[in-house]
């Protein structure tokens, strides 16, 4: 049986990975930023030596896309330099590493799903730092390092688009949502399950894309959330990305291909609309009570 070490364990994805491992009775050590500073190479070495994991799942990252535009050095320190240190430490101890990355490593201007080996071309500081982290993993661990890219992640923990739209829907609020960005809204549980599948089988080095199937826009996703919440989807109004005037450019196209799953003998991902319907109750479980108390 594997001994798992999870970094970023207090985040949306990290918590889901730990929940699944605990439910299945596996040995897992969850570490958040207070428990392990990944930028401290000595602390990383000490932790791996003491914990003796067989698989490390790195869910930790600097994820403030807009702040990274003015704090690129800080984003690079966490998303690139710390990942390089972790990958080298894993290489020295013979530990497999599953590293979570992002669609932001691509330019976001495609019209067909990005394949796992498609040329990268990040257009944000965040994307550049994450791409450097990917390369560090694949260089240090050519046989036991796996990069798992995801996009449009949502779940029961932390702030995310689905929870925010559900909260607005339960208040019958009118919202404006961009209709010129296309992607795959992906539950954290689906990504966690993919990570565990990769960690349990034989080492599968290289890049995998862990998103759901199909595609939609933020606008159409918001309308589906409103329907599921029992609110009028016509309260969702379309707008363009330019109206948001954010520091970091958002990819217009965040659709990822999944060919490597079939090649690895693993099942294809479920459709995003099926996933949303299945996950909606869990993702929004705490919202109604909170809204009732605020009224």
């Amino acid at each position: 049986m594997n001994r798992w070490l999870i970094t970023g364990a207090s985040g949306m994805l990290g918590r889901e990975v730990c929940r699944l491992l605990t439910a299945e009775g596996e040995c897992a050590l969850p570490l958040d930023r207070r428990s392990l500073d990944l930028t401290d190479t000595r602390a990383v070495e000490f932790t791996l030596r003491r914990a003796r994991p067989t698989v490390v799942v790195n869910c930790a990252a600097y994820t403030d896309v807009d702040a990274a535009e003015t704090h690129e050095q800080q984003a690079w320190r966490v998303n690139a330099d710390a990942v390089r240190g972790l990958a080298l430490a894993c290489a020295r101890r013979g530990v497999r590493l599953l590293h979570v990355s992002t669609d932001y490593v691509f330019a976001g201007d495609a019209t067909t799903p990005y394949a796992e080996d498609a040329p990268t071309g990040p257009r944000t500081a965040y994307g550049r730092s994450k791409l450097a982290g990917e390369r560090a993993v694949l260089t240090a661990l050519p046989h036991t390092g796996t990069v798992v890219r995801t996009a449009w992640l949502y779940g029961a923990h932390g702030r995310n688009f689905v929870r925010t739209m559900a909260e607005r829907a339960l208040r019958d609020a009118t919202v404006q949502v961009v209709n010129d960005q296309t992607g795959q809204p992906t539950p954290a549980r689906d990504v966690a399950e993919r990570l565990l599948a990769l960690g349990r089988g034989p080492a599968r080095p290289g890049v995998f894309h862990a998103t759901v199937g199909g595609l939609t826009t933020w606008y159409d996703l918001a309308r589906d959330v409103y329907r599921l919440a029992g609110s009028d989807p016509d309260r969702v109004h379309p707008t363009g990305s330019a109206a948001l005037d954010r520091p970091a450019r958002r990819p217009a196209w965040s659709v990822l291909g999944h060919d490597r799953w079939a090649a690895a003998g693993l099942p294809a991902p479920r459709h995003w609309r099926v996933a949303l319907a299945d996950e909606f109750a869990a993702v929004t479980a705490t919202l109604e009570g909170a809204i009732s108390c605020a009224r």
Side-chain angles (χ1 to χ4, degrees):
M1 180 179 291
N2 281 326
R3 295 188 303 275
W4 302 77
L5 188 151
I6 317 301
T7 64
S10 63
M12 176 170 41
L13 178 56
R15 290 178 69 169
E16 195 62 29
V17 171
C18 293
R19 185 189 68 81
L20 291 179
L21 287 171
T22 300
E24 295 171 20
E26 298 211 35
C27 179
L29 175 61
L31 297 174
D32 60 15
R33 184 168 50 189
R34 292 171 299 179
S35 306
L36 176 62
D37 178 0
L38 283 179
T39 65
D40 184 339
T41 54
R42 289 185 178 181
V44 170
E45 288 280 3
F46 176 80
T47 300
L48 291 186
R49 184 170 66 250
R50 288 291 300 273
R52 296 183 297 110
T54 54
V55 181
V56 172
V57 183
N58 183 33
C59 299
Y62 182 104
T63 57
D64 192 330
V65 175
D66 288 324
E69 291 298 304
T70 51
H71 298 85
E72 185 165 1
Q73 187 175 4
Q74 184 178 349
W76 198 274
R77 187 165 176 252
V78 176
N79 293 342
D81 295 339
V83 173
R84 182 178 298 106
L86 176 62
L88 290 171
C90 286
R92 284 189 287 269
R93 305 197 69 81
V95 178
R96 290 168 59 182
L97 175 60
L98 303 175
H99 173 65
V100 179
S101 192
T102 173
D103 63 299
Y104 275 76
V105 300
F106 295 115
D109 57 0
T111 55
T112 57
Y114 285 108
E116 293 88 347
D117 60 354
T120 53
R123 295 185 175 180
T124 63
Y126 168 70
R128 290 190 293 272
S129 70
K130 290 296 289 183
L131 179 59
E134 288 189 7
R135 289 173 173 169
V137 170
L138 299 177
T139 299
L141 296 161
H143 305 297
T144 55
T146 306
V147 169
V148 180
R149 295 179 184 139
T150 191
W152 288 30
L153 201 64
Y154 67 90
H157 306 291
R159 293 189 60 80
N160 57 78
F161 183 83
V162 170
R163 276 177 61 87
T164 297
M165 287 299 107
E167 182 178 3
R168 304 282 175 81
L170 291 169
R171 296 180 188 275
D172 288 326
T174 298
V175 295
Q176 288 190 321
V177 180
V178 295
N179 65 348
D180 56 1
Q181 296 175 27
T182 302
Q184 298 157 310
T186 301
R189 180 164 74 94
D190 289 46
V191 181
E193 288 174 346
R194 295 278 161 170
L195 288 166
L196 298 194
L198 289 171
R200 286 171 177 148
R204 296 183 176 94
V207 178
F208 284 81
H209 287 166
T211 53
V212 288
L215 55 87
T216 189
T217 64
W218 289 119
Y219 166 72
D220 287 323
L221 172 59
R223 287 178 60 86
D224 268 42
V225 170
Y226 265 62
R227 289 190 193 94
L228 288 169
S231 186
D232 182 2
D234 288 337
R235 292 183 180 275
V236 181
H237 298 166
T239 189
S241 297
L244 300 182
D245 192 28
R246 288 176 168 172
R249 176 178 180 176
R250 266 52 178 181
W253 184 263
S254 297
V255 182
L256 305 182
H258 311 111
D259 288 349
R260 284 210 68 197
W261 294 110
L266 296 168
R270 55 181 175 168
H271 192 274
W272 73 265
R273 191 166 269 130
V274 172
L276 180 65
D278 287 348
E279 300 296 319
F280 191 75
V283 170
T284 61
T286 61
L287 290 180
E288 291 196 43
I291 291 172
S292 297
C293 290
R295 285 171 175 164

